[in-house]
Amino acid sequence: MERYDLIVIGAGPAGLSAGIEAAKHGMNVMIFDENHKPGGQLFKQIHKFFGSKEHKAKIRGFNIGTELLKEAEEVGVKVKLDATVTGIFENKEVTVNHDGAIHHYKGSSVIIATGAAENMVPFEGWTLPGVIGAGAAQTMMNLHGVKPGKKILMLGSGNVGLVVSFQLLQAGCEVVALVDAAPRIGGYGVHAAKVARTGVPFFLGYTIKKVEGTEKVEGVTIGKVDEHFKIIPGTEIHFDVDTICVAVGLSPMSQLLKMSGCAMEDNPRRGGQVPIVDEYGETSVPCLFAAGDVSGIEEASSAMIKGRMAGLRAAYKTGFAEENLMEQNESLFEKDLDSLRQGMFAPCNRGKLIEKTDEGIPVSKNLLAKGFVADEEIERFPGVTHQKGIHPVIECTQNIPCNPCQDACRKNCIKIGSCITALPVVAQNCGCTGCGMCVASCSGQAIFLVDEDFEPGFTSITIPYEFLPIPEKGAMGKALSRKGDVLCDAEIVGVRTAAAFDHTYLLTMKVPNEFGYKARFWKKS
């Protein structure tokens, strides 16, 4: 039996962070993961993270994964892959299946960071090849470079459904519709808006009636639901598709925690069956911890912080970390975690209809119902201003935890303040140079540079662009509205990129003045 100071089960964002923090305090750490590659969900995530600099904001998920692996190696964390933990028993004995045999390990402390699994909903035809989870679609695209399908319908409007819909578009797939039985968007409005402006229609209050096909998906029929989520006859809509992506939530993979004998609870706000833990992730079994989604579904940024907290507490409980140092570090971790749990999407607000922002501004009803802010609603938000010369226009309309735009602007044109969930404010006559750093750093792609004085009768709009092929200067196309409707002809008058933009291109298009505050996407004719 091999012995370690700390055994971590799961090499995702929480598990790696826990192992790193514990190893920093001198613990001999072993991490087991059943997958062929470490990093968990991070290496599927090509979008930029939200939060602040401390939360690795504006860094793409796979780059965060690479950073964590490098840090783990530097502090001596051992990671064993293709290793399935089959049981956890008394005195923290762990059995692991690897190299064709069952091996026994024992840890002074154990952290379970097994993450979560995708939920599935049954509907007629749901077992046909071509019905897949959104996470599976991410794996195909972002790990293996394979298109999940040509014409795809997405079921689910939470952040996973919205993010994966956008990534499907980036991969060259056609997303024919985004469908959700809920009456309003479940994820961040900025994620919904960047999907809507490409022309993908949203069907809120609809669900799948049946999937058609004999040996594979060949089509799908959706229908509007009543207050009992039953399809209303006569509301059916048919789409020709070859793939259905399902993004209807996650469930904690808590089986090992149940096996360990720790106290559990059925908590819908945390995702289902989860362990009862204290603020540091310790369960009712001393020195047995849970970190990340297995203890409650949250974003990967929160999972990394909870992993660090569990790793630090494990080091303290086994004599590797002094109390004063532990208290100082835990205070910093708690502050970072608390900042992510503020605003409209705080855990305490899940399922609630938030009608006003923290600043008292009415939330866009159109955004919640259709995925985009209506033209008549947009100018009530403090990031949307009219100024002389080039200036940022920020269409961030919900209190989400994110502030990279504030850090990116050297001219202090953008102000969020100490609370990272505050709506960004654009200062008047701020002296914007048009550098574009704010546009590229925005994780929600919600910032545009507008110059209403570009040419007589024309406005220039600089937009973030992450699609291939990248158009060249002089290319002609169509300017699309926030809804994705064609507004007018648009010429590309500038194309920029830089290492600091991290693969986000800045396209500047020229449109007639009347469309300067309406055009938000460019599409080749």
Side-chain angles (χ1 to χ4, degrees):
M1 181 183 290
E2 291 187 41
R3 297 175 182 267
Y4 291 91
D5 299 323
L6 174 64
I7 292 174
V8 180
I9 304 172
L16 285 173
S17 298
I20 290 166
E21 192 63 33
K24 283 181 177 179
H25 291 84
M27 297 187 85
N28 185 17
V29 179
M30 169 62 85
I31 301 179
F32 296 108
D33 196 285
E34 65 182 359
N35 295 298
H36 185 62
K37 292 183 178 181
Q41 301 299 314
L42 288 173
F43 284 94
K44 299 180 183 181
Q45 297 174 342
I46 63 173
H47 59 282
K48 296 178 181 179
F49 273 37
F50 289 81
S52 65
K53 187 182 298 183
E54 292 74 23
H55 307 121
K56 301 185 182 296
K58 77 174 183 178
I59 302 176
R60 299 186 190 275
F62 66 91
N63 286 328
I64 295 173
T66 301
E67 290 179 7
L68 286 178
L69 291 176
K70 182 180 179 182
E71 191 176 358
E73 182 180 2
E74 289 173 349
V75 295
V77 173
K78 301 179 183 69
V79 180
K80 185 172 285 294
L81 303 172
D82 296 312
T84 302
V85 175
T86 58
I88 181 168
F89 305 96
E90 285 188 79
N91 300 316
K92 300 176 187 65
E93 181 181 341
V94 175
T95 54
V96 186
N97 185 351
H98 65 85
D99 301 324
I102 297 294
H103 300 263
H104 293 253
Y105 299 85
K106 182 173 172 53
S108 300
S109 292
V110 173
I111 297 176
I112 297 178
T114 44
E118 289 189 282
N119 294 335
M120 183 56 72
V121 291
F123 41 77
E124 186 178 343
W126 74 290
T127 59
L128 279 171
V131 179
I132 61 175
Q138 273 191 314
T139 300
M140 294 171 71
M141 292 185 292
N142 302 339
L143 292 183
H144 304 299
V146 176
K147 282 186 182 182
K150 294 180 179 179
K151 299 183 72 173
I152 301 173
L153 180 136
M154 176 64 71
L155 180 65
S157 70
N159 277 335
V160 173
L162 297 172
V163 166
V164 175
S165 292
F166 193 73
Q167 291 175 4
L168 287 165
L169 295 167
Q170 290 176 305
C173 305
E174 178 186 354
V175 180
V176 301
L178 199 149
V179 177
D180 199 320
R184 55 185 180 271
I185 298 291
Y188 291 171
V190 288
H191 280 323
K194 70 183 185 183
V195 173
R197 70 175 73 113
T198 67
V200 176
F202 283 65
F203 290 86
L204 279 298
Y206 282 76
T207 194
I208 292 176
K209 180 179 181 179
K210 65 176 180 178
V211 175
E212 293 116 21
T214 52
E215 297 182 354
K216 60 181 181 179
V217 173
E218 297 175 357
V220 61
T221 298
I222 66 172
K224 191 170 182 62
V225 298
D226 60 20
E227 64 272 18
H228 303 294
F229 292 97
K230 300 294 184 182
I231 293 178
I232 302 169
T235 64
E236 292 88 354
I237 303 173
H238 174 84
F239 295 96
D240 290 325
V241 298
D242 55 32
T243 306
I244 306 293
C245 269
V246 180
V248 291
L250 303 169
S251 293
M253 297 178 66
S254 56
Q255 296 90 335
L256 288 173
L257 287 154
K258 294 179 185 178
M259 180 182 286
S260 72
C262 68
M264 305 287 293
E265 67 173 348
D266 189 13
N267 189 329
R269 286 187 176 274
R270 292 168 61 194
Q273 278 284 315
V274 291
I276 297 174
V277 297
D278 65 14
E279 62 267 41
Y280 312 109
E282 190 168 15
T283 70
S284 60
V285 177
C287 292
L288 177 66
F289 299 82
D293 281 350
V294 75
S295 63
I297 306 299
E298 290 190 80
E299 300 292 329
S301 301
S302 299
M304 288 186 283
I305 297 172
K306 290 194 290 185
R308 298 264 184 185
M309 294 176 73
L312 177 59
R313 176 58 62 149
Y316 168 70
K317 293 292 290 282
T318 49
F320 284 88
E322 297 180 1
E323 185 173 6
N324 62 337
L325 181 62
M326 179 206 65
E327 290 176 348
Q328 291 174 10
N329 287 341
E330 283 183 342
S331 177
L332 293 175
F333 291 148
E334 289 169 3
K335 181 180 178 181
D336 286 343
L337 188 60
D338 184 62
S339 65
L340 287 174
R341 290 174 169 173
Q342 303 299 316
M344 295 179 179
F345 293 87
C348 62
N349 287 331
R350 284 178 184 165
K352 295 181 181 179
L353 174 60
I354 307 298
E355 297 186 343
K356 289 188 176 182
T357 69
D358 292 347
E359 295 80 5
I361 301 170
V363 172
S364 166
K365 292 182 179 179
N366 207 75
L367 174 66
L368 298 179
K370 299 179 181 179
F372 62 95
V373 181
D375 293 341
E376 61 270 18
E377 297 174 319
I378 195 66
E379 295 200 30
R380 64 185 180 218
F381 295 98
V384 181
T385 66
H386 293 271
Q387 298 187 28
K388 284 286 185 183
I390 195 166
H391 62 280
V393 171
I394 307 181
E395 300 187 0
C396 184
T397 63
Q398 294 175 316
N399 298 115
I400 57 177
C402 198
N403 71 357
C405 56
Q406 176 177 256
D407 295 337
C409 185
R410 298 177 181 177
K411 292 290 186 177
N412 298 315
C413 296
I414 302 169
K415 182 69 174 176
I416 289 177
S418 58
C419 179
I420 67 171
T421 58
L423 292 180
V425 177
V426 174
Q428 289 288 342
N429 304 315
C430 60
C432 174
T433 63
C435 71
M437 285 300 299
C438 60
V439 179
S441 70
C442 178
S443 304
Q445 298 192 12
I447 302 180
F448 311 89
L449 295 180
V450 177
D451 185 355
E452 299 173 73
D453 307 309
F454 179 70
E455 286 180 2
F458 288 91
T459 294
S460 71
I461 308 163
T462 300
I463 65 172
Y465 197 81
E466 294 184 355
F467 296 89
L468 294 175
I470 302 298
E472 296 180 353
K473 184 178 179 180
M476 293 300 300
K478 300 294 183 181
L480 304 187
S481 69
R482 296 180 182 90
K483 184 183 178 181
D485 289 340
V486 173
L487 293 175
C488 60
D489 292 330
E491 178 186 355
I492 297 299
V493 295
V495 180
R496 284 186 285 162
T497 188
F501 293 174
D502 189 12
H503 298 92
T504 298
Y505 283 76
L506 305 188
L507 300 189
T508 302
M509 60 181 175
K510 180 177 73 171
V511 300
N513 284 341
E514 62 189 286
F515 300 116
Y517 275 73
K518 295 180 180 180
R520 289 298 176 262
F521 194 67
W522 183 88
K523 186 176 182 180
K524 186 177 180 180
S525 299

